[in-house]
Amino acid sequence: MADSSPHGPGGVVEVVLPTYIIKPGESDRFYPSQVKKIAETILARELDEKVNEQLMEDWMDEGDEFDTLSKNIADLIKEECKKLDISRFKLVVQVTIGQQKDQGARITSRCLWDTTTDNYAQCSYSNQFVWASAMVFGLYAE
């Protein structure tokens, strides 16, 4: 009969003690300058590769493609930011893409956070076809 213990093989229970770390160390901080570089690089690379004149002509028919593109860009930014060794930070990434049609747009956000540990980075990108904005929020998880 197979061992079906909820505690794992041999019935061993792994105990994880609380760390009581309430502030990040200097090397573990969320630095907006590093995150902004990552977001700018990914925005430029992904939009230069995937957005062309044909795609813009089909903007109304292919709206789902831009929805998927913005989600993919947000996921790429999040994955690259995780490599910065900020493991105790919850990352929230918001990417907005719009068509260049001689109009204005404002993107705002409001958050309730601890100003000593939490921070954000914002960058934007535009070419002849689209504009894009990426916001990355780093929220420290105690």
Coordinates of all heavy atoms in Angstrom, one line a residue, residues 19 65 107 120:
T19 N 10.3 35.0 9.6 CA 11.6 35.7 9.6 C 11.5 37.0 10.3 O 12.6 37.5 10.6 CB 11.9 35.9 8.1 OG1 11.0 36.8 7.5 CG2 12.1 34.6 7.3
E65 N -5.8 40.9 -30.7 CA -4.3 40.7 -30.8 C -3.6 41.7 -29.9 O -2.5 41.4 -29.3 CB -3.9 40.8 -32.3 CG -2.5 40.4 -32.5 CD -2.1 40.2 -33.9 OE1 -3.0 39.8 -34.7 OE2 -1.0 40.5 -34.3
I107 N -2.9 58.4 -18.2 CA -3.0 57.2 -17.5 C -2.5 57.5 -16.1 O -1.5 58.0 -15.8 CB -2.0 56.1 -18.1 CG1 -2.5 55.8 -19.5 CG2 -2.1 54.9 -17.3 CD1 -1.6 55.0 -20.3
Y120 N 7.5 52.5 -7.5 CA 7.0 52.1 -8.8 C 7.9 52.7 -9.9 O 8.7 53.6 -9.6 CB 5.6 52.6 -9.1 CG 5.5 54.1 -9.4 CD1 5.4 54.6 -10.7 CD2 5.5 55.1 -8.3 CE1 5.3 55.9 -11.0 CE2 5.5 56.4 -8.6 CZ 5.4 56.8 -9.9 OH 5.3 58.2 -10.2

